[in-house]
Amino acid sequence: MLTLAISSRTLFDLDDAHQIYLEQGIEAYRSYQLRNEDEPLEPGVAFPLVQKLLNIKHPDTNEPQVEVVLVSRNNGDTGLRIFNSIEHHGLDISRAVFSNGGSPYDYLSALGVELFLSAHHADVIGAINAGYAAAHLMTRKAAIQNDEQVRVAFDGDAVLFSDESEQIYQTGGLEAFRQNEHKRRNEPLNPGPFSAFLKKLHDLQSLFASGESPIRTALVTARSAPSHKRVILTLRQWGIRIDEALFLGGQDKAKFLQSFKADIFFEDQLTYVKTASEHTATGHVPYGVTNQNK
């Protein structure tokens, strides 16, 4: 099974409660949550993605293929409203970690997690440094679902692949980048923080007949020809099929993600994160040279 750990603030819209915590402190937050314990929370930015993932069943056995684990900095007391909301919305989530202000990423290994989504930037950085695919989601209310298929889009360098080529671009400019990619066009790129997660999605897709997969993937990258060749050969060597590949040559990605109807997009550069997040649930991946000292 694919195991996803998700924070309560990305699964549900907790902005009002979080604002009380920031302005009035932990006791005011606790009182607010207890008063509203039986008031279901509205879906948050990652809710549609979670709902779709939980609906994926094995084509032969009809067994669930994705488990979602809730991780939260709440304690069990204030977290009861969150579990009540899970029940209200009919989500098949039974495991949870309430860390009472501590960092929940310490439990990712024990949970067997392949992806961690959180609204807490420091937790995401800790998870990335520990070797997990992790992303910081900008919180907002859930968008309307397009269809039942899960559509996941990835940036390339510093997300699916290492930031080795991005380092050359940052230090030597576009021409140095192009020369390096041409020189090493037949050498595969090293894996990035989301390579294993993409492989897991590919394995899930492989359970289904052609054209019937509940998952569709896309590579949405600022690369263009001829640097696209190294990317294609890398995926081929990994034995991974990606459904769509968009080589945009530096164009803004937001409109292309809308056309793809992405449920979530993973990107390392904040410039693209900010524009894409206006239309698509977007996870900032704080990895690589562009995120150093940020």
Side-chain angles (χ1 to χ4, degrees), residues 58-275:
H58 193 286
D60 299 325
T61 66
N62 204 38
E63 291 292 321
Q65 294 301 294
V66 179
E67 181 185 20
V68 175
V69 182
L70 180 79
V71 292
S72 174
R73 283 176 171 259
N74 283 272
N75 59 29
D77 200 21
T78 57
L80 185 57
R81 186 186 183 192
I82 298 166
F83 254 127
N84 288 343
S85 299
I86 288 172
E87 184 178 0
H88 170 82
H89 290 286
L91 299 177
D92 185 15
I93 297 175
S94 58
R95 290 204 290 168
V97 170
F98 294 105
S99 58
N100 193 25
S103 179
Y105 78 79
D106 291 334
Y107 295 95
L108 298 185
S109 177
L111 293 168
V113 165
E114 280 110 0
L115 176 66
F116 174 48
L117 301 178
S118 176
H120 198 279
H121 192 69
D123 285 349
V124 172
I125 290 176
I128 286 275
N129 290 340
Y132 293 94
H136 177 200
L137 266 65
M138 312 302 167
T139 58
R140 59 174 170 81
K141 293 184 186 296
I144 297 173
Q145 291 193 37
N146 298 306
D147 54 43
E148 293 183 358
Q149 191 174 51
V150 180
R151 292 174 175 257
V152 185
F154 301 88
D155 181 35
D157 295 299
V159 178
L160 289 182
F161 316 116
S162 76
D163 71 331
E164 58 194 83
S165 295
E166 183 64 27
Q167 290 182 37
I168 291 172
Y169 174 75
Q170 294 287 338
T171 57
L174 182 59
E175 189 55 36
F177 168 82
R178 286 174 174 165
Q179 289 178 10
N180 178 73
E181 294 307 289
H182 177 73
K183 178 181 177 182
R184 304 181 66 184
R185 61 190 179 276
N186 294 317
E187 297 178 28
L189 290 151
N190 289 315
F194 276 72
S195 59
F197 175 61
L198 176 63
K199 177 64 165 61
K200 192 73 175 184
L201 291 181
H202 173 80
D203 291 344
L204 277 176
Q205 288 177 303
S206 300
L207 297 174
F208 298 85
S210 178
E212 296 180 7
S213 175
I215 301 169
R216 191 166 185 82
T217 55
L219 170 68
V220 184
T221 174
R223 284 177 178 250
S224 59
S227 66
H228 70 296
K229 180 178 180 180
R230 194 177 182 199
V231 168
I232 293 170
L233 293 179
T234 297
L235 292 171
R236 186 179 296 171
Q237 188 188 71
W238 291 355
I240 290 178
R241 181 197 78 221
I242 201 158
D243 295 302
E244 301 187 29
L246 308 179
F247 297 94
L248 302 181
Q251 281 189 278
D252 186 59
K253 302 174 183 180
K255 289 185 178 180
F256 295 93
L257 292 164
Q258 282 183 283
S259 298
F260 176 63
K261 298 179 178 144
D263 289 297
I264 194 164
F265 172 52
F266 297 108
E267 167 68 55
D268 70 303
Q269 298 199 36
L270 280 170
T271 300
Y272 291 129
V273 169
K274 289 173 182 176
T275 56

